[in-house]
Amino acid sequence: MEDQSPKHGKLWLWLDQRIGLKDIEYLAKKKEVPVHLHTFWYYFGGMTLFLFMTQVTTGILLLLYYRPSAGEAYESIQFLMTEVQFGWLVRSIHAWSANLMIFVMFIHLFSALLGKAYRAPRELTWLSGGALLCLTLAFGFTGYLLPWNELAFFATRVGTEIPGVVPVIGSFMRRLLRGGDDVTGATLTRFYGIHVAVLPAIVMIVLGLHLFLVQKHGMSSPPGEEQEGKRKRAMPFFPNFFLRDLVGWLCALGVLAALAAYFPAELGKKADPFQPAPIGIKPEWYFMAMFQTLKLLPSHFLGIEGELLGVLGFGLVGLLLIFLPFIDRRSDAGQTSLFPAAFGITLIAYMVALTYLGYTMSPTK
Ligand code: HEM
């Protein structure tokens, strides 16, 4: 039957008959967000989403001027920074928003971990989140090389060297990443294609699944808040929580605008593959803990190459993190399980400590 309620205008009714706005309205109204001591952490997923949308928008604007070749990439960015109106601002927002997005995503990940939001029926929400983590880090890694400056060039040379230590498939993987034996214009073209076409396409699909699952299952409450007898409070997602989400986005925008305006992205010197690597080459901060671990490992340990040991260790931690919903069965059964909190807190402490060492230890060590 046609909805004749006076609260909807003619346009709404016209669209409803064609695309079923009522169903969407029902979905939006049905969702409720639990209100408790830890509700605050729910804002970080939305903030990650906002920063991702900022990346897509500024990335498209950058594409209007960027040229993906070793001969022109650096110059095209230089032109954008000096000649194009607000080009420096768009580039700075893209660079800062990438960093903020990864930072906020880590907060989102660890809050989901410590609140045990991965328990049934949210295992697939967690797995799709794990895929988004890998994809976002891949965005950071491929984007870093695109300005073709000295720092990015040598950091990429070091970064793409690492998979080479894996037995059997290592050298194949290194060549696949680089598009040859060394980092060259072919690597740049490859990274560009991955950064602007492959990753966005995959992220759209995985993110769509992630958000669909969040919508389907609603937000979880941490185990402490689910105890019998505790009064359960909730607020409608739309418009109550959504408007609060917007305040979170506005805060993120404020931080982003201040960082981009006061600390514009730098360009440095153009990459010269024939020059020796400058001392103290550093990756982006989110790879620093891994980079520093590899630096501190001895060259051989129990007859195994130190770097290989490091790479195997990273793989193991990654697998533990991603498959946590299937490892922590006790929490699913409603029993106390200390492993997730111990694992999460150790991981945060390790990442912070090694990142700190990475920035403070002498580069020759
Ligand atoms: C591009 C990156 C990501 C985006 C845009 C994103 C977005 C979101 C949004 C909007 C929500 C609902 C609000 C909230 O819980 O904060 C959510 C929930 C969730 N996300 Fe993510 N997320 C991302 C990455 C991740 C990662 C890396 C993980 C963990 C491996 C993860 C795991 C979860 C889980 C388990 C929930 C459900 C939380 C609950 O029910 O309490 N997400 N995500």
Side-chain angles (χ1 to χ4, degrees):
M1 215 179 69
E2 209 173 279
D3 186 353
Q4 296 294 354
S5 58
K7 66 182 170 138
H8 296 307
K10 276 195 180 136
L11 177 65
W12 196 95
L13 291 174
W14 190 88
L15 283 173
D16 181 39
Q17 281 162 0
R18 279 146 191 93
I19 53 173
L21 281 185
K22 238 187 279 119
D23 302 336
I24 302 173
E25 191 188 32
Y26 171 73
L27 262 182
K29 282 198 172 148
K30 193 184 77 166
K31 189 177 169 188
E32 287 198 326
V33 178
V35 178
H36 48 70
L37 205 61
H38 305 286
T39 299
F40 172 72
W41 301 106
Y42 295 148
Y43 294 113
F44 289 92
M47 242 186 247
T48 315
L49 184 62
F50 166 71
L51 291 165
F52 175 68
M53 292 187 297
T54 307
Q55 285 308 88
V56 175
T57 318
T58 48
I60 291 172
L61 291 176
L62 290 176
L63 271 182
L64 302 180
Y65 290 93
Y66 181 72
R67 290 162 188 243
S69 73
E72 287 182 306
Y74 180 87
E75 287 75 8
S76 68
I77 300 271
Q78 207 169 34
F79 178 78
L80 180 92
M81 298 287 285
T82 53
E83 304 291 328
V84 179
Q85 277 204 19
F86 295 111
W88 66 273
L89 187 61
V90 173
R91 175 168 178 246
S92 300
I93 290 182
H94 196 74
W96 275 114
S97 176
N99 284 294
L100 272 187
M101 178 181 162
I102 293 176
F103 184 69
V104 173
M105 185 182 63
F106 275 128
I107 300 182
H108 173 55
L109 184 162
F110 283 113
S111 63
L113 191 160
L114 295 173
K116 299 190 176 176
Y118 52 78
R119 286 167 301 154
R122 294 182 180 77
E123 297 94 329
L124 290 179
T125 318
W126 178 265
L127 283 185
S128 57
L132 288 173
L133 170 74
C134 300
L135 291 163
T136 308
L137 292 177
F139 257 122
F141 188 65
T142 50
Y144 195 47
L145 180 69
L146 300 185
W148 200 247
N149 54 17
E150 201 180 42
L151 199 67
F153 176 83
F154 287 105
T156 305
R157 200 182 244 175
V158 176
T160 48
E161 194 63 50
I162 294 169
V165 300
V166 178
V168 189
I169 52 166
S171 61
F172 168 75
M173 275 167 34
R174 188 178 49 206
R175 273 182 65 83
L176 185 72
L177 270 177
R178 289 180 170 175
D181 287 325
D182 198 358
V183 175
T184 60
T187 324
L188 179 66
T189 316
R190 191 161 287 217
F191 275 30
Y192 171 75
I194 296 173
H195 192 80
V196 308
V198 180
L199 292 174
I202 305 178
V203 165
M204 287 297 175
I205 298 169
V206 183
L207 186 56
L209 174 69
H210 195 67
L211 298 181
F212 165 75
L213 290 172
V214 171
Q215 189 65 39
K216 180 169 168 53
H217 297 300
M219 307 300 299
S220 72
S221 295
E225 300 296 330
E226 281 174 349
Q227 276 159 13
E228 295 265 334
K230 252 203 169 174
R231 200 161 59 92
K232 286 197 175 84
R233 287 197 302 144
M235 73 167 96
F237 174 76
F238 199 83
N240 303 45
F241 190 78
F242 180 70
L243 289 174
R244 287 170 169 79
D245 246 345
L246 286 188
V247 176
W249 296 16
L250 213 59
C251 293
L253 182 65
V255 173
L256 188 59
L259 288 170
Y262 288 115
F263 308 100
E266 289 176 4
L267 186 55
K269 282 203 286 192
K270 183 174 175 173
D272 182 354
F274 300 107
Q275 289 295 316
I279 295 177
I281 276 294
K282 285 183 173 41
E284 289 277 69
W285 64 269
Y286 38 89
F287 291 123
M288 185 55 106
M290 289 199 271
F291 178 74
Q292 191 62 22
T293 306
L294 294 179
K295 251 172 102 177
L296 292 178
L297 279 170
S299 73
H300 281 85
F301 187 74
L302 299 174
I304 306 175
E305 209 181 318
E307 278 203 352
L308 175 60
L309 216 59
V311 172
L312 292 177
F314 303 149
L316 185 69
V317 173
L319 287 177
L320 276 180
L321 185 69
I322 288 178
F323 291 105
L324 194 58
F326 308 100
I327 296 169
D328 178 25
R329 307 303 314 186
R330 288 176 64 87
S331 293
D332 256 353
Q335 297 164 340
T336 319
S337 145
L338 296 177
F339 171 72
F343 176 62
I345 292 170
T346 313
L347 195 56
I348 297 174
Y350 184 84
M351 282 165 65
V352 171
L354 270 281
T355 307
Y356 174 77
L357 284 181
Y359 282 106
T360 50
M361 263 173 85
S362 142
T364 49
K365 288 239 172 70

